[in-house]
Amino acid sequence: MVHKSFLKFSKKLNEHPSVRRRYKEQGQAGSLFCIVCGRSNSKEFMDTQRLVTHAYMSHKFGLRADHLGLHKAICVLLGWNSIVPPDTITWVPHVLPGDEALTQKEDLILWPPLVIIHNISISNSDPEEWKLVTIEALGAFLRGKGFGGGKFKMCLGKPADHSVMVVKFLGTFSGLEDAVKLHKYYAGNNHGRADLEKINYNNGKSSSSTEAGMQPDKPEEVVLYGYMGIAEDLDKLDFDSKRRCLIQSKQEIRELADAPVKPD
């Protein structure tokens, strides 16, 4: 029950950037209330730590699992350790190293699995520098790279100006592996999430427009960056895709896939 609530609240916290910012900025971006208790029954919390402490300590009848699920969801969002020893009496936040915090977040994948593709040229202030890649061109490019074996659908993300596109895979074990394969393709060619963040940090300037094995004469090879969608990427989806998708644990799905089959 706690895990189910954790996944549910992980989606609620990330559906809107303004909501996520309110939690991450420790209440400086707006009032904080307990969404388990409900705004009408919740006191206002001065910062996120006080709210998370309430979620862990609250024993309101029938709401214990939801409170613990909210506690874990906020901890993951803020990069705090989400695992609390069972004998803990008073909870205090434990900030995780960057790589461990990222591992927590990357386990919360959007489901059915999908890969978010960014066209970095569209962010250029000079329209003449834009290299438009259509949905059809992206599909042909992916199939040419050997990604046509698994079934996938594509649509525009948000904003719908071809700067963000979404590749949706089947909600199956094989669909997950296809999404992971595409994610690794971009990461392996220095066109993954971390590389995109570096470009955004450098005001849209790429340190290297051509990577090993990539063809500079093809815009799809140069301007597209991609990564598997996680909970914090919900705001990059169109309204319908956001409404339909779920948050799942990638580790949990893989454990199910690797579980031995019980004989009859």
Side-chain angles (χ1 to χ4, degrees):
M1 291 174 65
V2 172
H3 184 66
K4 184 177 180 180
S5 294
F6 162 57
L7 297 177
K8 176 181 69 176
F9 288 121
S10 292
K11 182 174 183 179
K12 282 184 175 293
L13 297 182
N14 287 286
E15 283 183 310
H16 302 287
S18 59
V19 174
R20 183 169 61 234
R21 185 168 62 252
R22 195 178 306 159
Y23 287 92
K24 297 187 82 168
E25 294 187 8
Q26 304 288 326
Q28 298 300 314
S31 300
L32 290 170
F33 297 89
C34 176
I35 56 179
V36 175
C37 296
R39 182 159 184 157
S40 60
N41 295 316
S42 170
K43 70 175 185 178
E44 183 175 353
F45 296 92
M46 295 180 63
D47 56 44
T48 311
Q49 182 174 336
R50 288 189 172 110
L51 170 57
V52 179
T53 300
H54 157 79
Y56 182 76
M57 301 298 293
S58 177
H59 286 78
K60 285 188 177 181
F61 180 76
L63 298 177
R64 181 60 174 158
D66 279 347
H67 272 115
L68 291 177
L70 176 62
H71 171 273
K72 186 173 182 179
I74 299 177
C75 283
V76 172
L77 178 65
L78 270 64
W80 298 342
N81 189 355
S82 62
I83 301 174
V84 182
D87 57 346
T88 299
I89 299 176
T90 303
W91 176 85
V92 292
H94 173 216
V95 180
L96 292 174
D99 56 340
E100 292 183 30
L102 181 60
T103 297
Q104 280 194 152
K105 293 180 180 181
E106 290 188 336
D107 182 59
L108 296 178
I109 61 173
L110 302 180
W111 192 265
L114 54 84
V115 171
I116 297 172
I117 310 288
H118 291 259
N119 183 336
I120 62 169
S121 74
I122 304 298
S123 63
N124 195 306
S125 58
D126 182 1
E128 293 186 0
E129 295 294 325
W130 294 358
K131 296 180 176 63
L132 183 65
V133 178
T134 65
I135 291 288
E136 294 75 18
L138 175 61
F141 170 72
L142 294 179
R143 291 184 178 90
K145 289 293 182 179
F147 293 102
K151 295 181 179 179
F152 59 81
K153 296 180 180 179
M154 293 173 295
C155 66
L156 295 177
K158 185 179 180 181
D161 57 1
H162 287 86
S163 63
V164 180
M165 293 176 281
V166 179
V167 184
K168 302 177 180 180
F169 294 88
L170 294 175
T172 61
F173 297 136
S174 60
L176 173 60
E177 293 310 308
D178 289 335
V180 170
K181 180 181 176 183
L182 182 56
H183 170 89
K184 289 182 176 180
Y185 165 77
Y186 280 110
N189 285 291
N190 298 332
H191 276 234
R193 184 189 295 272
D195 309 290
L196 179 64
E197 290 176 351
K198 290 178 182 177
I199 290 175
N200 291 334
Y201 181 78
N202 292 324
N203 296 318
K205 297 179 181 179
S206 173
S207 59
S208 176
S209 60
T210 306
E211 307 296 344
M214 304 188 85
Q215 303 177 43
D217 59 325
K218 293 186 176 182
E220 298 90 345
E221 297 273 23
V222 179
V223 303
L224 299 185
Y225 286 67
Y227 50 82
M228 179 171 286
I230 60 176
E232 290 194 3
D233 297 317
L234 276 166
D235 57 307
K236 301 179 181 71
L237 305 185
D238 64 276
F239 176 80
D240 191 56
S241 297
K242 183 193 297 186
R243 179 178 63 86
R244 291 174 178 272
C245 79
L246 302 173
I247 306 297
Q248 297 287 4
S249 165
K250 181 169 61 175
Q251 179 180 350
E252 184 178 27
I253 293 171
R254 283 183 161 163
E255 287 175 352
L256 286 173
D258 295 335
V261 177
K262 294 182 179 179
D264 295 333

